[in-house]
Amino acid sequence: MVYSIRPLANGTRTDHPVPGLPFVDDSHLPLDDGPEAIEAVGRNKGQGMWGRFDTDFADNGWRAFTTDPINHELGWSVRYHPDHGRTVLLLSDGDASSLHTDWSGGPLLFRAGGYWWDGITWYRPGQIWDPVSENYERRKARAAVTVSAADMLDGRAEPARAHVQKVATFDPEAPAPDNWIDHLARWARQHQEQDDALPLEHCVVDLASPELTGGQLLGVPEVAALGDITASTLRAYISRSSSDVPMPQASVGGRAQWSRPVAEEWAEARRRSAEGVRAAMSAGDRDDLSPGAADVRDRFAADFLGTLWERPDVRKRWILRQRNEASVREVADSLAWSVAVSLDHILPTNILGPTIRHAVLDDFAYMINLRDKRQKKGEEEPDKESWWDLNLTVPVAKMLDWFIRHHPDSAQWYIGEIMREAHSRWGTPAQATGRALRGALVMDGELNEETLREYFARVTPGEPTS
């Protein structure tokens, strides 16, 4: 998750003001009535309006968003935690649902271009995907300290110099207030008048960390160098919002600045990305092809050269008077035949077959284990003949279908191996396994039912053949 949301303003009843943003009156929202009431403000209430809430069971909190009922170009997003209070933010209406998604799975608030807090610890923006947890790695910010509203208010701020804006007249393009500390003081005064107000020392405003100090911030040229690209390429990525460039942690003199760890993790994510893997595997190839694709190219380049140049009967086709559609089609058919009979060199059956065998048996084992668990719990009557629940997942079925369509004779051997193993493990009759495979292919494969019936009649023992 590369955080990319730019909130426009703080709600006046937020517990955690975002530094630098103005405060907008949120009294027309039913914040104290729970997430269902917030959702109901915008859900199905008019063209272009929407709302939603979700419960976060991990922390007994919730999050909700709604289109503003007064200005439909704007939306509100709320994140509530029973111990840490709530964040209330005004955004463009299209960003409200995106922030709602970003708030799932732990974050209570974001600061400094995507650094996030879970109520205890500050983490850097998530950029490195972990396939095991199916989430982005949580990397802690170094020596991060939470800065509260009480820390920032030192008595010199003057609430009278600040004002609260109305959503009806709010201008998203207006510059941020220069005297934001005065606005924070006004918010604090109003906040403390609320019932059961969160103490100011628990109201999080910002974080401080050594990696966010000026000496650790990098500009576009330095970040681009870490990613092995030019500064102009990085600027193009930023302008197009592509390549998952993280939000900058600061702006100094109008120039974006990133913390070094965030920039280094972005470079790491680039190396780990699909593009990065392809680049590593194609390094040195004249066409930037992967090793396997380069092998296929080289094999057929040599084969085609032999066909087109070294065979006199084909070579004469290049004589102008011999060149016509029929002769070109004959040459094209010859080249296509060369590819078709070389499939085993592209995806060898001695590798593909065992892989499909293991995949099919793994699908079968999963389904049989589920059946056995149901029977053990009394949810299903024992039935030794209930082989109908030998199902295949869609990708495995499609791969078996491809194997049969391209290598029907090799597929016959490995289907026999599947039948033998199913009988050895679970006592499944070969005919039952054949029917299960054929049923999966009828459902998810490309071969028609009549062709499959004829094929399995020939590969399944005991099945009558026509």
Side-chain angles (χ1 to χ4, degrees), residues 287-444:
D287 296 321
D288 293 328
L289 294 178
S290 65
D295 288 345
V296 172
R297 176 201 59 203
D298 294 343
R299 172 183 172 78
F300 286 108
D303 193 18
F304 292 169
L305 179 63
T307 299
L308 297 173
W309 190 253
E310 295 175 5
R311 286 176 48 187
D313 60 318
V314 176
R315 186 174 177 181
K316 69 181 182 180
R317 303 289 186 182
W318 306 126
I319 302 173
L320 187 59
R321 60 188 175 82
Q322 295 277 0
R323 200 180 308 163
N324 52 52
E325 182 179 353
S327 63
V328 172
R329 184 181 299 279
E330 185 178 340
V331 173
D333 288 345
S334 178
L335 298 178
W337 176 87
S338 180
V339 175
V341 297
S342 300
L343 287 175
D344 196 47
H345 295 283
I346 300 173
L347 186 56
T349 56
N350 65 330
I351 296 174
L352 178 62
T355 303
I356 291 177
R357 170 180 169 272
H358 283 288
V360 169
L361 291 171
D362 186 69
D363 274 1
F364 282 179
Y366 177 78
M367 296 304 299
I368 288 173
N369 286 340
L370 283 182
R371 183 198 65 194
D372 291 346
K373 288 179 180 178
R374 291 196 301 267
Q375 291 179 355
K376 188 174 182 180
K377 292 179 180 179
E379 298 172 359
E380 181 178 318
E381 290 295 325
D383 180 4
K384 293 183 178 180
E385 300 301 318
S386 63
W387 306 115
W388 51 267
D389 58 3
L390 290 179
N391 296 322
L392 297 183
T393 55
V394 174
V396 173
K398 287 185 177 294
M399 193 71 252
L400 179 60
D401 172 81
W402 187 96
F403 196 23
I404 293 172
R405 287 188 291 112
H406 292 81
H407 303 286
D409 51 340
S410 294
Q412 176 187 17
W413 168 262
Y414 288 104
I415 289 172
E417 286 289 289
I418 291 169
M419 293 175 179
R420 181 187 63 78
E421 186 68 21
H423 183 268
S424 174
R425 288 192 197 182
W426 308 296
T428 312
Q431 295 82 3
T433 301
R435 286 194 295 273
L437 295 176
R438 177 160 57 90
L441 297 180
V442 168
M443 183 74 66
D444 297 310

Side-chain angles (χ1 to χ4, degrees), residues 37-164:
I38 297 171
E39 175 191 83
V41 171
R43 194 177 184 92
N44 297 320
K45 290 300 174 66
Q47 182 69 29
M49 297 186 68
W50 194 244
R52 173 173 175 158
F53 83 90
D54 286 282
T55 301
D56 287 291
F57 297 102
D59 58 23
N60 294 317
W62 51 262
R63 49 204 164 91
F65 73 90
T66 182
T67 304
D68 186 85
I70 299 172
N71 185 342
H72 296 177
E73 297 296 318
L74 302 174
W76 295 90
S77 198
V78 182
R79 176 70 162 98
Y80 172 79
H81 187 281
D83 298 324
H84 301 292
R86 66 190 172 201
T87 294
V88 184
L89 290 174
L90 181 67
L91 312 95
S92 66
D93 189 47
D95 284 341
S97 60
S98 298
L99 180 56
H100 184 84
T101 301
D102 287 348
W103 265 335
S104 66
L108 297 182
L109 50 84
F110 296 91
R111 295 291 185 271
Y115 279 73
W116 60 276
W117 185 65
D118 67 354
I120 300 173
T121 305
W122 285 97
Y123 298 90
R124 298 186 192 116
Q127 299 186 83
I128 311 301
W129 181 255
D130 178 4
V132 176
S133 65
E134 294 188 317
N135 208 333
Y136 291 93
E137 291 183 10
R138 294 188 175 190
R139 298 191 175 183
K140 295 179 181 180
R142 185 162 59 92
V145 176
T146 298
V147 179
S148 71
D151 296 328
M152 298 193 70
L153 294 169
D154 57 8
R156 291 179 291 179
E158 180 49 64
R161 291 197 295 261
H163 67 281
V164 172

